[in-house]
Amino acid sequence: MVTEHSDAAEDTSALALKILVAGGFGVGKTTLVGAVSEIRPLRTEELLSEAGQLVDDTDGVDQKVTTTVAMDFGRITIRSGLSLYLFGTPGQDRFWFLWDELAQGALGAVVLADTRRLEDCFPAVDYFEHRRIPFVVAVNCFTGARPYSAPDVCRALDLDQGTPVVLCDARDRASGKEVLIRLVEYAGRMHTARLLDSVG
């Protein structure tokens, strides 16, 4: 009986936070969620069609054969009592109507960026800035892409002062986990500052 009671107490003290993973088409959102998730990730991918070629810019991601049409979902435990639920957003403009639903209740977001197509992450940056949702920019370092420093990317995207920019490999679990930890720390500071402002 004591064991059951302690298990219940642990369950009620556990914290689950909602995180969005956003960015342009083909930037690695599905890859990141799949790499870090400790459960088999839920994916809603479909094969790219000839009709989609008219609206999906595959320049620079010629090897891409599928695309997310609703969302990706995964879960990762950061430490005992703290889990993150990851929701990967679709990257194409025609699926942006889903973003408002996915963003409800989110602690923050990761905006994945590809320096070969940096302009593709502008809509995600604008979306989270306008809604005051804390986010970090994670530069997915693709093989063969020209390397840029975090300050270079920050200037190119004209980010608000203090918005973190981190370099990562979306295929690597440890790298992806480090991005998520940075986001949770940053979002925690932002939410605390806003709370203090509201009572000040």
Side-chain angles (χ1 to χ4, degrees), residues 32 109-115 135-141 148-151 153-154 157 159 163-170 175-183 185-186:
L32 177 65
V110 173
V111 176
L112 268 179
D114 177 353
T115 56
F135 67 95
V136 301
V137 173
V139 179
N140 193 5
C141 299
Y148 290 90
S149 69
V153 173
C154 186
L157 293 176
L159 297 175
T163 302
V165 176
V166 293
L167 307 181
C168 74
D169 181 344
S175 180
K177 186 174 181 179
E178 184 59 34
V179 169
L180 296 171
I181 290 171
R182 286 286 300 275
L183 171 62
E185 291 172 347
Y186 175 64

PDB file of all heavy atoms in Angstrom, residues 32 109-115 135-141 148-151 153-154 157 159 163-170 175-183 185-186:
ATOM      1  N   LEU A  32      14.226  15.762 -35.950  1.00  0.00           N
ATOM      2  CA  LEU A  32      14.534  16.148 -34.574  1.00  0.00           C
ATOM      3  C   LEU A  32      13.603  15.451 -33.583  1.00  0.00           C
ATOM      4  O   LEU A  32      14.062  14.888 -32.586  1.00  0.00           O
ATOM      5  CB  LEU A  32      14.443  17.665 -34.413  1.00  0.00           C
ATOM      6  CG  LEU A  32      14.671  18.200 -32.992  1.00  0.00           C
ATOM      7  CD1 LEU A  32      16.102  17.924 -32.531  1.00  0.00           C
ATOM      8  CD2 LEU A  32      14.367  19.695 -32.905  1.00  0.00           C
ATOM      9  N   ALA A 109       8.932  27.251 -28.105  1.00  0.00           N
ATOM     10  CA  ALA A 109       9.106  26.616 -29.407  1.00  0.00           C
ATOM     11  C   ALA A 109      10.572  26.578 -29.811  1.00  0.00           C
ATOM     12  O   ALA A 109      11.369  27.426 -29.399  1.00  0.00           O
ATOM     13  CB  ALA A 109       8.301  27.356 -30.477  1.00  0.00           C
ATOM     14  N   VAL A 110      10.901  25.586 -30.610  1.00  0.00           N
ATOM     15  CA  VAL A 110      12.184  25.510 -31.296  1.00  0.00           C
ATOM     16  C   VAL A 110      11.918  25.865 -32.750  1.00  0.00           C
ATOM     17  O   VAL A 110      11.069  25.241 -33.399  1.00  0.00           O
ATOM     18  CB  VAL A 110      12.789  24.090 -31.216  1.00  0.00           C
ATOM     19  CG1 VAL A 110      14.047  23.994 -32.077  1.00  0.00           C
ATOM     20  CG2 VAL A 110      13.085  23.711 -29.781  1.00  0.00           C
ATOM     21  N   VAL A 111      12.610  26.869 -33.268  1.00  0.00           N
ATOM     22  CA  VAL A 111      12.536  27.193 -34.694  1.00  0.00           C
ATOM     23  C   VAL A 111      13.793  26.638 -35.346  1.00  0.00           C
ATOM     24  O   VAL A 111      14.893  27.143 -35.123  1.00  0.00           O
ATOM     25  CB  VAL A 111      12.426  28.715 -34.938  1.00  0.00           C
ATOM     26  CG1 VAL A 111      12.456  29.013 -36.436  1.00  0.00           C
ATOM     27  CG2 VAL A 111      11.150  29.270 -34.305  1.00  0.00           C
ATOM     28  N   LEU A 112      13.625  25.581 -36.129  1.00  0.00           N
ATOM     29  CA  LEU A 112      14.759  24.998 -36.829  1.00  0.00           C
ATOM     30  C   LEU A 112      15.077  25.841 -38.058  1.00  0.00           C
ATOM     31  O   LEU A 112      14.173  26.292 -38.764  1.00  0.00           O
ATOM     32  CB  LEU A 112      14.449  23.563 -37.268  1.00  0.00           C
ATOM     33  CG  LEU A 112      14.832  22.441 -36.305  1.00  0.00           C
ATOM     34  CD1 LEU A 112      14.430  21.098 -36.888  1.00  0.00           C
ATOM     35  CD2 LEU A 112      16.316  22.458 -35.991  1.00  0.00           C
ATOM     36  N   ALA A 113      16.362  26.038 -38.303  1.00  0.00           N
ATOM     37  CA  ALA A 113      16.796  26.856 -39.438  1.00  0.00           C
ATOM     38  C   ALA A 113      17.852  26.109 -40.243  1.00  0.00           C
ATOM     39  O   ALA A 113      18.658  25.359 -39.691  1.00  0.00           O
ATOM     40  CB  ALA A 113      17.360  28.190 -38.938  1.00  0.00           C
ATOM     41  N   ASP A 114      17.828  26.330 -41.541  1.00  0.00           N
ATOM     42  CA  ASP A 114      18.821  25.798 -42.474  1.00  0.00           C
ATOM     43  C   ASP A 114      19.483  27.009 -43.119  1.00  0.00           C
ATOM     44  O   ASP A 114      18.802  27.810 -43.763  1.00  0.00           O
ATOM     45  CB  ASP A 114      18.113  24.925 -43.520  1.00  0.00           C
ATOM     46  CG  ASP A 114      19.045  24.362 -44.588  1.00  0.00           C
ATOM     47  OD1 ASP A 114      20.231  24.751 -44.613  1.00  0.00           O
ATOM     48  OD2 ASP A 114      18.572  23.554 -45.407  1.00  0.00           O
ATOM     49  N   THR A 115      20.787  27.182 -42.932  1.00  0.00           N
ATOM     50  CA  THR A 115      21.454  28.395 -43.432  1.00  0.00           C
ATOM     51  C   THR A 115      21.436  28.475 -44.955  1.00  0.00           C
ATOM     52  O   THR A 115      21.653  29.546 -45.515  1.00  0.00           O
ATOM     53  CB  THR A 115      22.909  28.468 -42.934  1.00  0.00           C
ATOM     54  OG1 THR A 115      23.614  27.281 -43.317  1.00  0.00           O
ATOM     55  CG2 THR A 115      22.948  28.613 -41.420  1.00  0.00           C
ATOM     56  N   PHE A 135      11.013  31.350 -27.791  1.00  0.00           N
ATOM     57  CA  PHE A 135      11.555  30.368 -28.731  1.00  0.00           C
ATOM     58  C   PHE A 135      13.067  30.498 -28.822  1.00  0.00           C
ATOM     59  O   PHE A 135      13.637  31.536 -28.494  1.00  0.00           O
ATOM     60  CB  PHE A 135      10.929  30.528 -30.126  1.00  0.00           C
ATOM     61  CG  PHE A 135      11.300  31.804 -30.832  1.00  0.00           C
ATOM     62  CD1 PHE A 135      12.358  31.835 -31.731  1.00  0.00           C
ATOM     63  CD2 PHE A 135      10.590  32.981 -30.601  1.00  0.00           C
ATOM     64  CE1 PHE A 135      12.710  33.004 -32.389  1.00  0.00           C
ATOM     65  CE2 PHE A 135      10.927  34.156 -31.251  1.00  0.00           C
ATOM     66  CZ  PHE A 135      11.997  34.176 -32.151  1.00  0.00           C
ATOM     67  N   VAL A 136      13.680  29.408 -29.235  1.00  0.00           N
ATOM     68  CA  VAL A 136      15.099  29.426 -29.582  1.00  0.00           C
ATOM     69  C   VAL A 136      15.203  29.073 -31.061  1.00  0.00           C
ATOM     70  O   VAL A 136      14.366  28.349 -31.592  1.00  0.00           O
ATOM     71  CB  VAL A 136      15.943  28.437 -28.743  1.00  0.00           C
ATOM     72  CG1 VAL A 136      15.835  28.756 -27.268  1.00  0.00           C
ATOM     73  CG2 VAL A 136      15.547  27.002 -29.013  1.00  0.00           C
ATOM     74  N   VAL A 137      16.219  29.599 -31.714  1.00  0.00           N
ATOM     75  CA  VAL A 137      16.512  29.222 -33.090  1.00  0.00           C
ATOM     76  C   VAL A 137      17.620  28.174 -33.049  1.00  0.00           C
ATOM     77  O   VAL A 137      18.687  28.409 -32.477  1.00  0.00           O
ATOM     78  CB  VAL A 137      16.950  30.432 -33.943  1.00  0.00           C
ATOM     79  CG1 VAL A 137      17.408  29.980 -35.334  1.00  0.00           C
ATOM     80  CG2 VAL A 137      15.804  31.441 -34.057  1.00  0.00           C
ATOM     81  N   ALA A 138      17.338  27.006 -33.617  1.00  0.00           N
ATOM     82  CA  ALA A 138      18.309  25.919 -33.672  1.00  0.00           C
ATOM     83  C   ALA A 138      18.741  25.739 -35.122  1.00  0.00           C
ATOM     84  O   ALA A 138      17.931  25.372 -35.974  1.00  0.00           O
ATOM     85  CB  ALA A 138      17.700  24.631 -33.133  1.00  0.00           C
ATOM     86  N   VAL A 139      19.999  26.045 -35.395  1.00  0.00           N
ATOM     87  CA  VAL A 139      20.520  25.931 -36.755  1.00  0.00           C
ATOM     88  C   VAL A 139      20.924  24.476 -36.984  1.00  0.00           C
ATOM     89  O   VAL A 139      21.853  23.975 -36.355  1.00  0.00           O
ATOM     90  CB  VAL A 139      21.725  26.870 -36.964  1.00  0.00           C
ATOM     91  CG1 VAL A 139      22.272  26.715 -38.382  1.00  0.00           C
ATOM     92  CG2 VAL A 139      21.322  28.316 -36.690  1.00  0.00           C
ATOM     93  N   ASN A 140      20.190  23.816 -37.876  1.00  0.00           N
ATOM     94  CA  ASN A 140      20.481  22.426 -38.211  1.00  0.00           C
ATOM     95  C   ASN A 140      21.665  22.416 -39.180  1.00  0.00           C
ATOM     96  O   ASN A 140      21.552  22.877 -40.312  1.00  0.00           O
ATOM     97  CB  ASN A 140      19.253  21.766 -38.841  1.00  0.00           C
ATOM     98  CG  ASN A 140      19.369  20.261 -38.932  1.00  0.00           C
ATOM     99  OD1 ASN A 140      20.331  19.664 -38.448  1.00  0.00           O
ATOM    100  ND2 ASN A 140      18.394  19.635 -39.571  1.00  0.00           N
ATOM    101  N   CYS A 141      22.795  21.928 -38.728  1.00  0.00           N
ATOM    102  CA  CYS A 141      24.044  22.004 -39.506  1.00  0.00           C
ATOM    103  C   CYS A 141      24.116  20.873 -40.532  1.00  0.00           C
ATOM    104  O   CYS A 141      24.624  19.781 -40.237  1.00  0.00           O
ATOM    105  CB  CYS A 141      25.245  21.979 -38.567  1.00  0.00           C
ATOM    106  SG  CYS A 141      25.268  23.374 -37.407  1.00  0.00           S
ATOM    107  N   TYR A 148      27.907  29.046 -40.331  1.00  0.00           N
ATOM    108  CA  TYR A 148      27.720  30.407 -39.820  1.00  0.00           C
ATOM    109  C   TYR A 148      27.711  30.334 -38.301  1.00  0.00           C
ATOM    110  O   TYR A 148      27.249  29.358 -37.715  1.00  0.00           O
ATOM    111  CB  TYR A 148      26.410  31.018 -40.316  1.00  0.00           C
ATOM    112  CG  TYR A 148      26.395  31.343 -41.783  1.00  0.00           C
ATOM    113  CD1 TYR A 148      25.976  30.405 -42.712  1.00  0.00           C
ATOM    114  CD2 TYR A 148      26.808  32.588 -42.245  1.00  0.00           C
ATOM    115  CE1 TYR A 148      25.965  30.691 -44.071  1.00  0.00           C
ATOM    116  CE2 TYR A 148      26.797  32.895 -43.598  1.00  0.00           C
ATOM    117  CZ  TYR A 148      26.375  31.929 -44.499  1.00  0.00           C
ATOM    118  OH  TYR A 148      26.362  32.226 -45.839  1.00  0.00           O
ATOM    119  N   SER A 149      28.167  31.382 -37.661  1.00  0.00           N
ATOM    120  CA  SER A 149      28.152  31.433 -36.204  1.00  0.00           C
ATOM    121  C   SER A 149      26.762  31.827 -35.713  1.00  0.00           C
ATOM    122  O   SER A 149      25.946  32.377 -36.462  1.00  0.00           O
ATOM    123  CB  SER A 149      29.182  32.443 -35.695  1.00  0.00           C
ATOM    124  OG  SER A 149      28.772  33.762 -36.028  1.00  0.00           O
ATOM    125  N   ALA A 150      26.493  31.546 -34.436  1.00  0.00           N
ATOM    126  CA  ALA A 150      25.216  31.926 -33.832  1.00  0.00           C
ATOM    127  C   ALA A 150      24.970  33.442 -33.936  1.00  0.00           C
ATOM    128  O   ALA A 150      23.869  33.857 -34.297  1.00  0.00           O
ATOM    129  CB  ALA A 150      25.152  31.451 -32.388  1.00  0.00           C
ATOM    130  N   PRO A 151      25.966  34.304 -33.664  1.00  0.00           N
ATOM    131  CA  PRO A 151      25.731  35.747 -33.821  1.00  0.00           C
ATOM    132  C   PRO A 151      25.395  36.142 -35.257  1.00  0.00           C
ATOM    133  O   PRO A 151      24.584  37.046 -35.487  1.00  0.00           O
ATOM    134  CB  PRO A 151      27.067  36.365 -33.368  1.00  0.00           C
ATOM    135  CG  PRO A 151      27.653  35.360 -32.438  1.00  0.00           C
ATOM    136  CD  PRO A 151      27.269  34.026 -33.011  1.00  0.00           C
ATOM    137  N   VAL A 153      23.741  34.327 -37.466  1.00  0.00           N
ATOM    138  CA  VAL A 153      22.347  33.950 -37.695  1.00  0.00           C
ATOM    139  C   VAL A 153      21.411  34.908 -36.972  1.00  0.00           C
ATOM    140  O   VAL A 153      20.380  35.321 -37.509  1.00  0.00           O
ATOM    141  CB  VAL A 153      22.100  32.493 -37.245  1.00  0.00           C
ATOM    142  CG1 VAL A 153      20.616  32.137 -37.323  1.00  0.00           C
ATOM    143  CG2 VAL A 153      22.932  31.521 -38.093  1.00  0.00           C
ATOM    144  N   CYS A 154      21.778  35.285 -35.758  1.00  0.00           N
ATOM    145  CA  CYS A 154      20.970  36.224 -34.979  1.00  0.00           C
ATOM    146  C   CYS A 154      20.790  37.542 -35.720  1.00  0.00           C
ATOM    147  O   CYS A 154      19.680  38.075 -35.813  1.00  0.00           O
ATOM    148  CB  CYS A 154      21.629  36.448 -33.616  1.00  0.00           C
ATOM    149  SG  CYS A 154      20.650  37.443 -32.481  1.00  0.00           S
ATOM    150  N   LEU A 157      18.571  37.139 -38.963  1.00  0.00           N
ATOM    151  CA  LEU A 157      17.147  36.988 -38.678  1.00  0.00           C
ATOM    152  C   LEU A 157      16.572  38.183 -37.924  1.00  0.00           C
ATOM    153  O   LEU A 157      15.367  38.237 -37.688  1.00  0.00           O
ATOM    154  CB  LEU A 157      16.900  35.712 -37.861  1.00  0.00           C
ATOM    155  CG  LEU A 157      17.175  34.387 -38.582  1.00  0.00           C
ATOM    156  CD1 LEU A 157      16.982  33.216 -37.628  1.00  0.00           C
ATOM    157  CD2 LEU A 157      16.277  34.231 -39.798  1.00  0.00           C
ATOM    158  N   LEU A 159      16.774  39.015 -34.783  1.00  0.00           N
ATOM    159  CA  LEU A 159      16.071  38.507 -33.602  1.00  0.00           C
ATOM    160  C   LEU A 159      16.071  39.525 -32.471  1.00  0.00           C
ATOM    161  O   LEU A 159      16.973  40.355 -32.366  1.00  0.00           O
ATOM    162  CB  LEU A 159      16.743  37.221 -33.110  1.00  0.00           C
ATOM    163  CG  LEU A 159      16.727  36.032 -34.075  1.00  0.00           C
ATOM    164  CD1 LEU A 159      17.543  34.884 -33.498  1.00  0.00           C
ATOM    165  CD2 LEU A 159      15.303  35.585 -34.373  1.00  0.00           C
ATOM    166  N   THR A 163      17.299  36.424 -27.614  1.00  0.00           N
ATOM    167  CA  THR A 163      16.762  35.175 -28.171  1.00  0.00           C
ATOM    168  C   THR A 163      17.921  34.224 -28.471  1.00  0.00           C
ATOM    169  O   THR A 163      18.804  34.561 -29.257  1.00  0.00           O
ATOM    170  CB  THR A 163      15.971  35.444 -29.469  1.00  0.00           C
ATOM    171  OG1 THR A 163      14.909  36.360 -29.194  1.00  0.00           O
ATOM    172  CG2 THR A 163      15.400  34.142 -30.029  1.00  0.00           C
ATOM    173  N   PRO A 164      17.937  33.041 -27.868  1.00  0.00           N
ATOM    174  CA  PRO A 164      19.076  32.133 -28.066  1.00  0.00           C
ATOM    175  C   PRO A 164      19.132  31.558 -29.489  1.00  0.00           C
ATOM    176  O   PRO A 164      18.102  31.257 -30.094  1.00  0.00           O
ATOM    177  CB  PRO A 164      18.814  31.011 -27.052  1.00  0.00           C
ATOM    178  CG  PRO A 164      17.822  31.565 -26.085  1.00  0.00           C
ATOM    179  CD  PRO A 164      16.991  32.525 -26.872  1.00  0.00           C
ATOM    180  N   VAL A 165      20.347  31.428 -29.989  1.00  0.00           N
ATOM    181  CA  VAL A 165      20.604  30.726 -31.244  1.00  0.00           C
ATOM    182  C   VAL A 165      21.618  29.635 -30.934  1.00  0.00           C
ATOM    183  O   VAL A 165      22.681  29.915 -30.375  1.00  0.00           O
ATOM    184  CB  VAL A 165      21.155  31.668 -32.333  1.00  0.00           C
ATOM    185  CG1 VAL A 165      21.512  30.887 -33.595  1.00  0.00           C
ATOM    186  CG2 VAL A 165      20.157  32.774 -32.654  1.00  0.00           C
ATOM    187  N   VAL A 166      21.279  28.395 -31.264  1.00  0.00           N
ATOM    188  CA  VAL A 166      22.170  27.278 -30.989  1.00  0.00           C
ATOM    189  C   VAL A 166      22.399  26.491 -32.274  1.00  0.00           C
ATOM    190  O   VAL A 166      21.525  26.415 -33.133  1.00  0.00           O
ATOM    191  CB  VAL A 166      21.606  26.348 -29.886  1.00  0.00           C
ATOM    192  CG1 VAL A 166      21.573  27.057 -28.555  1.00  0.00           C
ATOM    193  CG2 VAL A 166      20.220  25.841 -30.243  1.00  0.00           C
ATOM    194  N   LEU A 167      23.598  25.926 -32.405  1.00  0.00           N
ATOM    195  CA  LEU A 167      23.914  25.067 -33.535  1.00  0.00           C
ATOM    196  C   LEU A 167      23.639  23.631 -33.119  1.00  0.00           C
ATOM    197  O   LEU A 167      23.929  23.240 -31.990  1.00  0.00           O
ATOM    198  CB  LEU A 167      25.379  25.239 -33.942  1.00  0.00           C
ATOM    199  CG  LEU A 167      25.847  26.673 -34.208  1.00  0.00           C
ATOM    200  CD1 LEU A 167      27.314  26.675 -34.638  1.00  0.00           C
ATOM    201  CD2 LEU A 167      24.981  27.356 -35.257  1.00  0.00           C
ATOM    202  N   CYS A 168      23.054  22.836 -34.030  1.00  0.00           N
ATOM    203  CA  CYS A 168      22.696  21.477 -33.657  1.00  0.00           C
ATOM    204  C   CYS A 168      22.755  20.538 -34.854  1.00  0.00           C
ATOM    205  O   CYS A 168      22.893  20.971 -36.001  1.00  0.00           O
ATOM    206  CB  CYS A 168      21.293  21.441 -33.034  1.00  0.00           C
ATOM    207  SG  CYS A 168      19.953  21.645 -34.232  1.00  0.00           S
ATOM    208  N   ASP A 169      22.646  19.253 -34.559  1.00  0.00           N
ATOM    209  CA  ASP A 169      22.473  18.215 -35.568  1.00  0.00           C
ATOM    210  C   ASP A 169      21.164  17.523 -35.222  1.00  0.00           C
ATOM    211  O   ASP A 169      21.078  16.812 -34.222  1.00  0.00           O
ATOM    212  CB  ASP A 169      23.646  17.225 -35.522  1.00  0.00           C
ATOM    213  CG  ASP A 169      23.532  16.124 -36.568  1.00  0.00           C
ATOM    214  OD1 ASP A 169      22.426  15.930 -37.127  1.00  0.00           O
ATOM    215  OD2 ASP A 169      24.538  15.442 -36.822  1.00  0.00           O
ATOM    216  N   ALA A 170      20.128  17.760 -36.038  1.00  0.00           N
ATOM    217  CA  ALA A 170      18.788  17.244 -35.730  1.00  0.00           C
ATOM    218  C   ALA A 170      18.743  15.723 -35.687  1.00  0.00           C
ATOM    219  O   ALA A 170      17.809  15.149 -35.132  1.00  0.00           O
ATOM    220  CB  ALA A 170      17.779  17.769 -36.752  1.00  0.00           C
ATOM    221  N   SER A 175      22.387  16.183 -29.138  1.00  0.00           N
ATOM    222  CA  SER A 175      22.339  17.549 -29.660  1.00  0.00           C
ATOM    223  C   SER A 175      20.925  18.114 -29.564  1.00  0.00           C
ATOM    224  O   SER A 175      20.718  19.251 -29.136  1.00  0.00           O
ATOM    225  CB  SER A 175      22.824  17.555 -31.114  1.00  0.00           C
ATOM    226  OG  SER A 175      22.799  18.864 -31.645  1.00  0.00           O
ATOM    227  N   GLY A 176      19.945  17.308 -29.943  1.00  0.00           N
ATOM    228  CA  GLY A 176      18.553  17.758 -29.854  1.00  0.00           C
ATOM    229  C   GLY A 176      18.116  17.995 -28.428  1.00  0.00           C
ATOM    230  O   GLY A 176      17.401  18.965 -28.137  1.00  0.00           O
ATOM    231  N   LYS A 177      18.558  17.138 -27.505  1.00  0.00           N
ATOM    232  CA  LYS A 177      18.199  17.314 -26.097  1.00  0.00           C
ATOM    233  C   LYS A 177      18.787  18.607 -25.553  1.00  0.00           C
ATOM    234  O   LYS A 177      18.132  19.316 -24.777  1.00  0.00           O
ATOM    235  CB  LYS A 177      18.687  16.111 -25.285  1.00  0.00           C
ATOM    236  CG  LYS A 177      18.239  16.134 -23.843  1.00  0.00           C
ATOM    237  CD  LYS A 177      18.606  14.852 -23.108  1.00  0.00           C
ATOM    238  CE  LYS A 177      18.130  14.895 -21.662  1.00  0.00           C
ATOM    239  NZ  LYS A 177      18.461  13.648 -20.925  1.00  0.00           N
ATOM    240  N   GLU A 178      20.001  18.937 -25.969  1.00  0.00           N
ATOM    241  CA  GLU A 178      20.627  20.188 -25.517  1.00  0.00           C
ATOM    242  C   GLU A 178      19.823  21.403 -25.992  1.00  0.00           C
ATOM    243  O   GLU A 178      19.652  22.378 -25.249  1.00  0.00           O
ATOM    244  CB  GLU A 178      22.064  20.268 -26.045  1.00  0.00           C
ATOM    245  CG  GLU A 178      22.831  21.469 -25.550  1.00  0.00           C
ATOM    246  CD  GLU A 178      22.955  21.546 -24.033  1.00  0.00           C
ATOM    247  OE1 GLU A 178      23.043  20.486 -23.374  1.00  0.00           O
ATOM    248  OE2 GLU A 178      22.943  22.673 -23.495  1.00  0.00           O
ATOM    249  N   VAL A 179      19.305  21.340 -27.219  1.00  0.00           N
ATOM    250  CA  VAL A 179      18.451  22.424 -27.727  1.00  0.00           C
ATOM    251  C   VAL A 179      17.220  22.579 -26.843  1.00  0.00           C
ATOM    252  O   VAL A 179      16.835  23.698 -26.467  1.00  0.00           O
ATOM    253  CB  VAL A 179      18.025  22.143 -29.187  1.00  0.00           C
ATOM    254  CG1 VAL A 179      16.937  23.117 -29.634  1.00  0.00           C
ATOM    255  CG2 VAL A 179      19.225  22.229 -30.128  1.00  0.00           C
ATOM    256  N   LEU A 180      16.589  21.469 -26.504  1.00  0.00           N
ATOM    257  CA  LEU A 180      15.373  21.510 -25.684  1.00  0.00           C
ATOM    258  C   LEU A 180      15.645  22.039 -24.285  1.00  0.00           C
ATOM    259  O   LEU A 180      14.842  22.791 -23.727  1.00  0.00           O
ATOM    260  CB  LEU A 180      14.749  20.119 -25.624  1.00  0.00           C
ATOM    261  CG  LEU A 180      14.245  19.577 -26.965  1.00  0.00           C
ATOM    262  CD1 LEU A 180      13.843  18.115 -26.828  1.00  0.00           C
ATOM    263  CD2 LEU A 180      13.090  20.411 -27.494  1.00  0.00           C
ATOM    264  N   ILE A 181      16.783  21.661 -23.710  1.00  0.00           N
ATOM    265  CA  ILE A 181      17.153  22.174 -22.384  1.00  0.00           C
ATOM    266  C   ILE A 181      17.340  23.695 -22.443  1.00  0.00           C
ATOM    267  O   ILE A 181      16.869  24.428 -21.561  1.00  0.00           O
ATOM    268  CB  ILE A 181      18.418  21.468 -21.863  1.00  0.00           C
ATOM    269  CG1 ILE A 181      18.099  20.008 -21.515  1.00  0.00           C
ATOM    270  CG2 ILE A 181      18.989  22.190 -20.643  1.00  0.00           C
ATOM    271  CD1 ILE A 181      19.315  19.153 -21.198  1.00  0.00           C
ATOM    272  N   ARG A 182      18.013  24.165 -23.474  1.00  0.00           N
ATOM    273  CA  ARG A 182      18.195  25.621 -23.636  1.00  0.00           C
ATOM    274  C   ARG A 182      16.854  26.335 -23.738  1.00  0.00           C
ATOM    275  O   ARG A 182      16.651  27.416 -23.165  1.00  0.00           O
ATOM    276  CB  ARG A 182      19.038  25.919 -24.883  1.00  0.00           C
ATOM    277  CG  ARG A 182      20.515  25.615 -24.748  1.00  0.00           C
ATOM    278  CD  ARG A 182      21.259  26.639 -23.888  1.00  0.00           C
ATOM    279  NE  ARG A 182      21.175  27.984 -24.416  1.00  0.00           N
ATOM    280  CZ  ARG A 182      21.979  28.495 -25.347  1.00  0.00           C
ATOM    281  NH1 ARG A 182      22.934  27.741 -25.877  1.00  0.00           N
ATOM    282  NH2 ARG A 182      21.857  29.750 -25.750  1.00  0.00           N
ATOM    283  N   LEU A 183      15.925  25.719 -24.475  1.00  0.00           N
ATOM    284  CA  LEU A 183      14.596  26.328 -24.614  1.00  0.00           C
ATOM    285  C   LEU A 183      13.870  26.386 -23.277  1.00  0.00           C
ATOM    286  O   LEU A 183      13.305  27.427 -22.918  1.00  0.00           O
ATOM    287  CB  LEU A 183      13.758  25.557 -25.634  1.00  0.00           C
ATOM    288  CG  LEU A 183      12.281  25.982 -25.686  1.00  0.00           C
ATOM    289  CD1 LEU A 183      12.144  27.442 -26.104  1.00  0.00           C
ATOM    290  CD2 LEU A 183      11.486  25.082 -26.607  1.00  0.00           C
ATOM    291  N   GLU A 185      15.069  26.407 -20.259  1.00  0.00           N
ATOM    292  CA  GLU A 185      15.711  27.408 -19.398  1.00  0.00           C
ATOM    293  C   GLU A 185      15.325  28.818 -19.814  1.00  0.00           C
ATOM    294  O   GLU A 185      14.974  29.665 -18.967  1.00  0.00           O
ATOM    295  CB  GLU A 185      17.232  27.236 -19.451  1.00  0.00           C
ATOM    296  CG  GLU A 185      17.723  25.960 -18.799  1.00  0.00           C
ATOM    297  CD  GLU A 185      19.208  25.705 -19.020  1.00  0.00           C
ATOM    298  OE1 GLU A 185      19.823  26.384 -19.887  1.00  0.00           O
ATOM    299  OE2 GLU A 185      19.770  24.835 -18.330  1.00  0.00           O
ATOM    300  N   TYR A 186      15.373  29.086 -21.117  1.00  0.00           N
ATOM    301  CA  TYR A 186      15.049  30.428 -21.624  1.00  0.00           C
ATOM    302  C   TYR A 186      13.576  30.751 -21.384  1.00  0.00           C
ATOM    303  O   TYR A 186      13.241  31.844 -20.908  1.00  0.00           O
ATOM    304  CB  TYR A 186      15.387  30.501 -23.107  1.00  0.00           C
ATOM    305  CG  TYR A 186      14.978  31.795 -23.770  1.00  0.00           C
ATOM    306  CD1 TYR A 186      15.562  33.001 -23.391  1.00  0.00           C
ATOM    307  CD2 TYR A 186      14.012  31.814 -24.763  1.00  0.00           C
ATOM    308  CE1 TYR A 186      15.186  34.193 -23.991  1.00  0.00           C
ATOM    309  CE2 TYR A 186      13.642  32.997 -25.375  1.00  0.00           C
ATOM    310  CZ  TYR A 186      14.221  34.189 -24.992  1.00  0.00           C
ATOM    311  OH  TYR A 186      13.845  35.372 -25.587  1.00  0.00           O
TER     312      TYR A 186
END
